[in-house]
Every structure is written in C-alpha cells, then in structure tokens.
C-alpha cells in the first residue's frame, strides 16, 4: 500500500490541474479512478490480491504468472466509422476488413464484452474508434458500464462535441473526454486529418466540456521530428491554454497506414529524450500532467518498473470482437463471439510474446516485429 500510494503521488504532483466532481472527488487523470472512490478502492484491492498470490515467486508480481495479471484498462473500438482520413491512422486496415465482412459486434455483444472485462478486474474502460461519437448507441454503451467498478472515458476527434452531445455524455456517466491533436496549429492538424475546420471545432468542444464540468485531456503521438523541432513543447502550450488536466503521449507505431514505415519508431536516444520531456513538464505545476503509454504498468503496479502495458495491464477489443494486447498490435488472440474474454486474456498473457516484461513498447523493437510476423504467418 505504501508503494502504491508513493507511485500515485509521484504522478499526481502537487499543483497540477484537477477537476472537483459534484460528489467532491478529485480527478487528476482520465484513466485513473479518483483517489478514495469505490473504483479506486477496487483497483487497490485487485493489486493487493495479485501481490498476495505471487508471494514466494521470484518474478515481480505483474509478471509472475497469468493468474495475477489484471487488465486494469481496456480500450474498445466501438465502431470504425470516421469522418477523418488521418495519415497515421492505426485502424485503417482493420476498418476496411470489418466493412467488407460486415462483422461488427452488435450492441448487445459489445456491452457483454465490456461487462466481461470489468468482471476480470478492469477499472477503466476507454471508448475509441474510428470516431466513437458516430456510433448511434454510444450513450447507452457508456451507461452500461458499472460505475461502481469502473470509470468510462472516451477518445474523440472532437468535431461533434457540442452542448447537447456533451450533456448526453455527462448524463450517461462519462468520466472524461480525450481529444486527439496531431499538431498544435489548425493548418497542420486539419491537413493531417484531411478534415478542414476540425481543429477549431475540437478546441471549442473541449472548452464546452470544461464549462460543463467534464474532465478533459488531449492526446498526441510522438515522432522524432516532434521531439527534435520542439513541436511537443508547442502541444504542451496548447494543452495549458485549453485548460486540460492531462496530456497522453503515444509513440508513433508502424501500423495501419504507417505499416510499411517501420523506421518511424523511436530509437533509444529519442526514447530518452521523450522521457526527459515528460519529466520536465511533470515537474512544472503550471502545465498539465503528462502520461506516456509505458507508464501504465508502473502506475497500476508500483512494484514494477515502467514498461510496455500490452498484455500486462491493458487489452484492446476491436469492433469485430477480436481481442489484441493494445490498439496498435496487429495480432488477435481470439474473438469474444467465439470464446469467453477470460480465456482469451489467459491465452494472451501465457503466450511467449507477452510472458515477460518489456521496458519499452514492444512494437518499437525490430526483433519483436520479426517474432510477430512469424506468428501471424502461421496463424
């Protein structure tokens, strides 16, 4: 418990932006339940249970075996419809596959899969797409998440965040709203998304969320160009102006429309620069908190080092029911239409690909891609 609390305090630094909900709970992050809330207490209980099960084993609790791993966070592609055509879209290939085969989950199947992962221990459900606000029953999906056991956050491109929509999201029980920004200027952002006017609508939507008392954050992807030119600093300036409480950083990954560009991944030097960037802004009280994808493991399990969360504390549900270790991994371990999600999770964490920890995102490593390619070739 002491280590867990220290890990939380190291992330939620004093003076960082926060939102006070109507029930008095303080929101520091859109993917971590408010400290002291029933959901947060549930997460702590699950962590303590996992640590207890791993006593006497030689490996750290997170990696001591499938029995003690918990998918604390699930990302769910509710559908793949989208008004944008992002040049870096990671879902483009599976999006087309689902469209051709007409294999999308029904609303009932989708809610059942989410319920199964919450039963497994998930305490944060993150809805993505495509553009999730184009899904006709998105409010019902949010409402279906048991708020006593999990929070529900949404990632959106922000175009449809008008007052009526935000009010419906709030009434459904949304915990927070992330809006994605590829670049800090309207011209470049709209060009990358091939959607004129999107930047202005997204920034306006975030302001409306803030006024409505809905916790907000932004997400972006890190490239070597953004690191070296200082563009990530400009995005942090944008985040501060928008009044968000959190900036979520993803590494650029060679999937989807970037699948043929495996040289886009960050090397060790660039990864070090990104860590320094995070630390710099997390030490400044006048900027939002920064969370990077590899920080999931250490925040959820303070007894282990930072590392790739895929198949360790996170999993991803595609809109057709396929279950992957994360949004970007182009390999499925099963389909919820055919197997219980618990069985798929067990197969994932027991696989050679995910049995051992990785300090960095696995998809940033050429050796991992070779193993993944070989596995996919035989499946």
């Amino acid at each position: 418990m002491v280590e867990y609390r220290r890990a939380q305090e190291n992330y939620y630094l004093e003076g960082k932006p926060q939102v006070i909900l109507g029930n008095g709970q303080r929101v520091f992050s859109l993917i971590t339940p408010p400290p002291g809330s029933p959901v947060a207490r549930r997460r702590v209980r699950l962590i303590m249970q996992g640590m207890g099960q791993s006593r006497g084993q030689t490996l750290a609790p997170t990696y001591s075996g499938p029995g003690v791993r918990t998918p604390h966070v699930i990302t769910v592609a509710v559908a793949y419809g989208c008004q944008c055509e992002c040049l870096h879209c990671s879902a483009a290939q599976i999006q087309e596959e689902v469209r051709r085969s007409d294999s999308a989950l029904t609303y009932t199947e989708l809610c059942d899969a989410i319920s199964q992962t919450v039963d497994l221990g998930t305490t944060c459900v993150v809805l993505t797409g495509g553009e999730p606000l184009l899904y006709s029953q998105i409010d019902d999906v949010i409402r279906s998440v048991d708020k006593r056991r999990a929070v529900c956050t949404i990632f959106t491109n922000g175009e449809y965040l008008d007052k009526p929509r935000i009010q419906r999201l709030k009434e459904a029980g949304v915990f927070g709203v992330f809006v994605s920004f590829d670049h800090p200027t309207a011209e470049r952002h709209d060009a990358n998304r091939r959607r004129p006017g999107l930047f202005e609508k997204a920034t306006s939507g975030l302001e409306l969320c803030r006024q409505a008392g809905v916790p907000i954050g932004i997400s972006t992807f890190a490239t070597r160009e953004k690191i070296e030119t200082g563009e990530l600093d400009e995005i942090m300036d944008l985040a501060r102006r928008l009044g968000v409480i959190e900036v979520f950083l993803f590494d650029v990954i060679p999937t989807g429309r970037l699948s043929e560009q495996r040289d886009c991944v960050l090397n060790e030097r660039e990864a070090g620069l990104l860590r320094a960037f995070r630390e710099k802004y997390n030490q400044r009280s006048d900027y939002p908190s920064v969370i990077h994808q590899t920080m999931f493991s250490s925040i959820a399990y303070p007894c282990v080092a930072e590392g790739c969360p895929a198949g360790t504390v996170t999993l991803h549900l595609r809109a057709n029911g396929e279950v992957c270790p994360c949004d970007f991994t182009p390999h499925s371990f099963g389909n919820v239409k055919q197997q219980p999600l618990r069985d798929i999770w067990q197969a994932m964490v027991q696989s050679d690909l995910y049995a051992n920890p990785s300090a960095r995102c696995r998809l940033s490593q050429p050796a991992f891609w070779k193993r993944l390619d070989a596995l996919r070739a035989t499946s």
Side-chain angles (χ1 to χ4, degrees):
M1 282 297 298
V2 171
E3 290 300 320
Y4 181 80
R5 184 165 185 171
R6 182 178 295 121
Q8 298 293 300
E9 291 173 349
N10 286 342
Y11 176 57
Y12 305 125
L13 301 177
E14 287 295 327
K16 285 293 188 181
Q18 58 182 278
V19 172
I20 309 298
L21 300 180
N23 57 10
Q25 293 175 349
R26 297 184 300 163
V27 178
F28 299 90
S29 166
L30 307 190
I31 58 168
T32 303
S37 68
V39 181
R41 291 197 296 271
R42 179 174 187 246
R43 178 176 287 190
V44 173
R45 284 197 302 271
L46 289 165
I47 292 170
M48 296 301 107
Q49 289 170 9
M51 292 175 69
Q53 291 176 35
S54 64
R55 277 184 186 170
Q57 299 186 34
T58 57
L59 297 179
T62 302
Y63 304 105
S64 57
V68 298
R69 289 201 205 175
T70 301
H72 290 285
V73 180
I74 183 174
T75 56
V76 180
V78 295
Y80 287 123
C82 190
Q83 76 278 31
C84 299
E85 295 183 38
C86 304
L87 297 177
H88 65 287
C89 179
S90 62
Q93 293 170 337
I94 183 66
Q95 180 183 56
E96 178 60 20
E97 178 185 321
V98 173
R99 186 193 65 79
R100 287 198 316 267
S101 60
D102 190 27
S103 57
L105 293 170
T106 66
Y107 166 74
T108 300
E109 290 171 332
L110 180 65
C111 291
D112 179 68
I114 293 173
S115 178
Q116 287 185 57
T117 190
V118 172
D119 288 344
L120 267 177
T122 292
T123 45
C124 181
V125 176
V126 180
L127 305 180
T128 68
E131 171 47 53
L133 293 184
L134 286 174
Y135 186 66
S136 62
Q137 292 179 278
I138 190 64
D139 299 333
D140 294 327
V141 173
I142 295 170
R143 194 172 289 111
S144 75
V145 177
D146 185 349
K147 306 305 188 304
R148 298 166 300 177
R149 299 193 294 163
V151 298
C152 185
T153 290
I154 191 167
F155 271 81
T156 170
N157 60 44
E159 180 168 356
Y160 302 118
L161 288 174
D162 56 21
K163 284 186 177 180
R165 163 56 67 192
I166 293 167
Q167 185 58 34
R168 291 198 297 273
L169 291 174
K170 187 174 181 179
E171 290 173 355
V174 76
F175 179 62
V177 174
F178 273 112
V179 171
S180 304
F181 285 91
D182 307 332
H183 299 283
T185 63
E187 181 181 11
R188 294 193 65 193
H189 177 72
D190 293 354
N192 191 69
R193 301 232 156 187
R194 300 181 183 180
R195 188 71 173 175
L198 180 61
F199 185 93
E200 182 177 353
K201 290 178 181 177
T203 54
S204 174
L206 279 173
E207 173 59 22
L208 292 174
C209 285
R210 191 185 64 78
Q211 292 175 9
V214 176
I216 54 174
I218 69 172
S219 67
T220 193
F221 60 94
T223 64
R224 60 176 54 93
E225 292 78 14
K226 287 183 179 181
I227 294 171
E228 293 172 354
T229 64
E231 186 174 328
L232 285 182
D233 296 280
E234 295 178 42
I235 288 177
M236 290 302 299
D237 290 337
L238 170 66
R240 181 169 63 170
R241 292 196 302 272
L242 292 172
V244 307
I245 64 174
E246 187 168 51
V247 175
F248 202 122
L249 283 179
F250 295 94
D251 289 357
V252 63
I253 299 295
T255 58
R257 293 198 174 105
L258 296 178
S259 59
E260 302 303 318
Q261 302 180 40
R262 292 192 179 176
D263 60 346
C264 72
V265 298
L266 303 181
N267 59 35
E268 289 299 325
R269 182 187 69 85
E270 292 156 350
L273 292 174
L274 188 59
R275 285 192 295 271
F277 168 86
R278 289 162 23 197
E279 292 170 4
K280 177 177 73 173
Y281 283 102
N282 277 335
Q283 291 170 3
R284 295 193 57 172
S285 61
D286 55 334
Y287 279 88
S289 297
V290 179
I291 185 170
H292 183 249
Q293 59 191 39
T294 59
M295 294 169 67
F296 271 121
S297 296
S298 56
I299 291 174
Y301 287 99
C303 45
V304 300
E306 178 179 333
C308 179
T312 301
V313 295
T314 69
L315 56 77
H316 175 66
L317 176 68
R318 291 177 177 174
N320 62 353
E322 299 291 340
V323 181
C324 308
C326 75
D327 307 45
F328 309 110
T329 305
H331 179 73
S332 168
F333 281 88
N335 193 301
V336 293
K337 294 180 181 180
Q338 301 157 357
Q339 296 174 267
L341 194 141
R342 180 181 297 274
D343 292 348
I344 301 173
W345 173 249
Q346 293 296 314
M348 185 185 302
V349 301
Q350 289 175 331
S351 71
D352 291 340
L353 288 173
Y354 294 93
N356 296 308
S358 175
R360 285 189 59 192
C361 168
R362 290 173 173 83
L363 297 175
S364 69
Q365 304 167 39
F368 183 80
W369 276 103
K370 290 181 180 178
R371 296 176 63 197
L372 190 62
D373 289 341
L375 179 63
R376 294 163 66 197
T378 59
S379 61

